[in-house]
């Protein structure tokens, strides 16, 4: 749960860090189990995403990776405390992600860590937890062409990308996409079969920023696409917090006329 | 979890029902344990909320109540399937609400059941689950006057209420209120101590509608206030689904050129 | 201008009226000048729109029409005061709509009149005035198939329409569509050429509600399409005000502790 | 009008410029006519606003000022083309601002110029034009204390300001404030008299960004307040475009399968 009642220490991490510390998380199962996918992504999907971020942001970022099969999925308290923005890719093993890690990621996002959720990460526990919805959609993997249209040209996440981005072959994701109405709708995609999808969406959760971007798949070389990489890098930069310190929102009591020195009364209710 | 993979039968409930079927849920602990509160709300907080809805909507609604100490908290699958809109009040025993009931309420909301969350229900598991955030805030119970200002005069939930609603004595809830940016901000409150609060907010989740309204407390007779009752009744009416059937969003595969006969491939991923 | 300083009497019109009074406005030039279009729409585009609203709302509405070439374009103060919802279609003669009528329509919308803007009405002076933007877009009239996808299944405007609505032949309207981010995005369209468009959008302005819906054209029989008619009828119903009286927002001064009896100080500033 | 049909040359200005070029516009009448106000703002309100921006952004900005009584109000085509962000303060002479200058400012905003509207600028022609509403509100100038609460702690405009900002004496602005629902609500204020106000709001219009911030007045020394200055500076930085070139959205026709080389058909409709 996101309640501060779970005994975890209150998060207090200075930010932002320069260079921006990015952790690219990947399920990394397709790459181990399917030679075609391993050939498409020799360094793993995480390797391709990492490369795309570095290619665009250079010395402004320090990128590491983490994968499902590492202890605690590579997302220990220490790793998250040292991560300004986390990117998330998963597909066939969402159910294997431990609830404890999901809790931890949620706490860090609410405290200010940025999160970029990619493609099939739409059905991850982490994204479902932060959205409060099922995050289901319609789909088909039949080599559709995807066109990614910018509908908010003032948004920094759309900086430097063509109108539209053309992706020659891609899995189709279509509406209805069961997410809350996004705070900002940046991209809408069409597929050659006729479907549409809200493919670039931002959300604020607590002190953190979340960006969802749907292009990208294990069966198509989408993470090698120049413009897709640019969007992911823009998303990483956008999701980084402007706040000086990572800290969860907490329930505090304030005396009349006293606005800054709240007292923690969390134990007064059933959530403590 | 909200995944359709939990073995629960797919929800298929015709709606809307006339009269509108409303279930008023209440924790109902303060009333049993504190004589002053029992005197303030002789029929329980649920009784007062029920009375307020009936007073405003009359024969258009059929209202029942349910409380924490009933089996399954009075919220069995059958009760929820026969509920068009659920209202939620809890405070000191949020932690005692079973996760199974929280899962069930979330499923029904995503499938189209309306939900009206009242006051300290902000910290309920149900609301946290649907928001994805901590839902914390600042507070003080020191007899502040609350003024509830309408900031969206076109909204049906604001129909028939004065500008502002004056509540002589009330608990203070103040910002930062850790919720997602609401889809529609209907009311903003001030308190005599100087705090402000987004006191009337709407959210869409799945096929369902959620309204949060903060005025109301066990220590003040707020649920006897005419205008507060009007807003709750307006909220109930607004939250009722317009869809003909209650059904969860599901993940379906569609062939190219085929838009209506999707096939359930849920077992293809780790969530099944 | 929308300033209350223009000497016009303050609007005070009781509402809502039953049946709902709808005025369907049409430029009505193509029908007079082009036989093919006259054949497609023998009663004019306004006739087809009127028929579609009546077909869906029956006795709940009383629909009249008005056209550009009538005195004051058929939109006198008296007509607008007796109109709960106005629909707007124009294309080739936007520039002939008098600014006085645009002012009048804007004042009535801000006071609570509903407005449904159809298709090429996107470039009308009325819509530009209420949006504050250019309302430009990309387009092509080459018999594209349009699919209209619901992205907000909880919205009453999407009630009763298939997912997606299929329009066999239609003019293409594509992004970037230069409008403010809509309050609610209800529909997104794709075209067979690959473009996407935010085709169903709601906006609040003052005490009024505005719905923009793009399907519909003089060169295709779109206003005879069952689902398009349903959406327009839903939009009319949604746009009708819930407020008891049509009244413009005004700038008033209030003494401390006095919240309801504001005094008109409009003449104190340069706008009077 | 915002139509591209007005014969003005299409805007093509490279951006962003480093340092950021800011023009602080002020009506500058109170300062000339009322000694008390001149004493409070010896360099004019524009001088105080300029100083506040420079104090916070230093060498990152180059700030100039312009005032109503200059030719073309100091806002020639050349000045606007060399302005990345314009700030706007007016009060008693809104009616004297020429419509030609309002047209020009609107065109530049739609093309990508940032705009920060301050306090009584809410009733300026420029703001009304971009909002499409009356922008009226309730008010009182009786030395209320204003508290400015951050409701979006992830927003860069809230960076570095206390929760709440305390302004000892200020004019009261209260709801209902007749603006479109803002894209982002950053601040909500309370006043000691009990009113509330959406005091910090963002809006996208065309390729431009608009920030409205209400604290600030001629009768109180609010533009000398450290935190108010910080917010204005944050707003200036936020409003600067990320796009490489200032260009108005235009209506273009595209052939099927051709997405980037649109053809200008503006003269095909009545707006040309």
């Amino acid at each position: 749960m996101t309640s501060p009642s779970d005994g975890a220490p209150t998060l207090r991490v200075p930010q932002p860090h320069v260079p921006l510390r990015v952790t690219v998380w990947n399920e990394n199962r397709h790459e181990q189990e399917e030679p075609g996918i391993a050939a498409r992504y020799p360094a793993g999907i995480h390797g391709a995403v990492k490369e795309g971020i570095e290619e665009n942001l250079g010395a402004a970022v320090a990128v590491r990776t983490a994968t499902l099969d590492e202890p605690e999925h590579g997302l220990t308290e220490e790793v998250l405390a040292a991560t300004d923005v986390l990117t998330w890719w998963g597909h066939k093993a969402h159910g294997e992600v431990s609830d404890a890690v999901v809790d931890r990621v949620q706490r860090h996002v609410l405290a200010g860590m940025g999160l970029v959720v990619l493609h099939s990460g739409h059905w991850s526990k982490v994204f479902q937890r932060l959205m409060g919805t099922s995050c289901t959609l319609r789909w088909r993997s039949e080599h559709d062409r995807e066109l990614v249209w910018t509908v908010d040209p003032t948004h920094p996440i759309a900086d430097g990308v063509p109108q539209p981005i053309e992706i020659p072959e891609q899995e189709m994701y279509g509406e209805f996409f069961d997410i809350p109405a996004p705070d900002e709708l940046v991209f809408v995609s069409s597929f050659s079969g006729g479907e549409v999808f809200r493919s670039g969406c931002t959300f604020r959760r607590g002190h953190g920023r979340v960006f969802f971007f749907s292009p990208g798949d294990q069966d198509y070389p989408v993470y090698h696409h120049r413009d897709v990489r640019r969007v992911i890098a823009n998303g990483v930069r956008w999701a980084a917090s402007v706040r000086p310190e990572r800290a969860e929102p907490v329930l505090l009591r304030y005396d009349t006329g006293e606005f800054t020195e709240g007292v923690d009364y969390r134990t007064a209710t059933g959530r403590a």
Side-chain angles (χ1 to χ4, degrees), chain A:
Chain A
M1 275 317 305
T2 68
S3 161
S5 61
D6 59 2
T10 302
L11 294 167
R12 290 279 166 190
V13 183
Q15 54 183 31
H17 196 271
V18 178
L20 197 67
R21 298 163 303 180
V22 180
T23 300
V24 171
W25 192 87
N26 183 22
E27 182 183 286
N28 196 33
R29 286 284 174 81
H30 290 286
E31 296 92 326
Q32 297 180 57
E33 299 168 5
E34 298 164 67
I37 295 174
R40 186 171 298 112
Y41 293 114
I45 286 176
H46 51 293
V49 171
K50 176 176 188 287
E51 190 179 84
I53 296 169
E54 290 170 337
E55 174 181 299
N56 280 283
L57 299 180
V61 285
V63 187
R64 70 166 114 186
T65 63
T67 56
L68 179 65
D69 291 333
E70 298 173 37
E72 303 188 46
H73 314 323
L75 298 176
T76 61
E77 185 65 34
E78 292 63 37
V79 167
L80 293 184
T83 298
D84 296 306
V85 179
L86 176 69
T87 75
W88 193 277
W89 197 97
H91 180 236
K92 63 192 297 185
H94 290 312
E96 294 183 42
V97 174
S98 82
D99 289 340
V101 168
V102 173
D103 290 349
R104 191 183 290 153
V105 170
Q106 182 183 21
R107 287 180 68 236
H108 275 273
V109 170
L110 297 184
M113 183 179 72
L115 179 69
V116 176
V117 175
L118 297 172
H119 190 60
S120 45
H122 77 89
W123 231 32
S124 63
K125 290 181 177 181
V126 160
F127 192 55
Q128 289 182 328
R129 177 74 66 81
L130 287 160
M131 296 296 105
T133 58
S134 71
C135 305
T136 56
L137 41 75
R138 69 172 63 209
W139 69 279
R140 171 181 63 243
S141 187
E142 296 290 349
H143 307 271
D144 277 73
R145 177 195 65 179
E146 178 173 359
L147 298 177
V148 184
W149 295 90
T150 296
V151 300
D152 181 356
T154 73
H155 206 288
I157 292 179
D159 182 30
V161 300
Q163 175 79 309
I165 300 172
E166 302 195 39
I167 304 175
E169 292 192 315
Q170 165 70 307
E171 185 178 28
M172 181 281 286
Y173 275 9
E175 298 284 345
F176 172 61
F177 181 24
D178 179 22
I179 50 169
D183 293 343
E184 297 163 311
L185 181 62
V186 185
F187 302 115
V188 173
S189 289
S190 72
F191 295 85
S192 37
E195 289 86 357
V196 299
F197 196 66
R198 290 170 291 172
S199 50
C201 302
T202 74
F203 306 90
R204 274 78 172 179
R205 291 294 181 269
H207 293 150
R209 292 166 156 220
V210 179
F211 175 54
F212 173 77
F213 185 55
S214 62
D217 193 71
Q218 74 279 1
D219 289 331
Y220 306 95
V222 181
Y223 291 118
H224 298 304
H225 190 295
R226 185 191 58 181
D227 301 323
V228 168
R229 288 178 164 203
R230 176 63 181 262
V231 171
I232 295 171
N234 286 346
V236 162
R237 200 167 42 183
W238 174 85
S241 177
V242 297
R243 297 171 57 84
E245 191 177 59
R246 182 171 303 171
E248 289 174 280
V250 286
L251 190 79
L252 296 179
R253 184 192 177 282
Y254 292 79
D255 283 327
T256 304
E258 205 294 296
F259 301 120
T260 56
E261 300 298 324
V263 176
D264 193 337
Y265 263 56
R266 292 178 291 181
T267 54
T269 83
R271 301 311 301 275

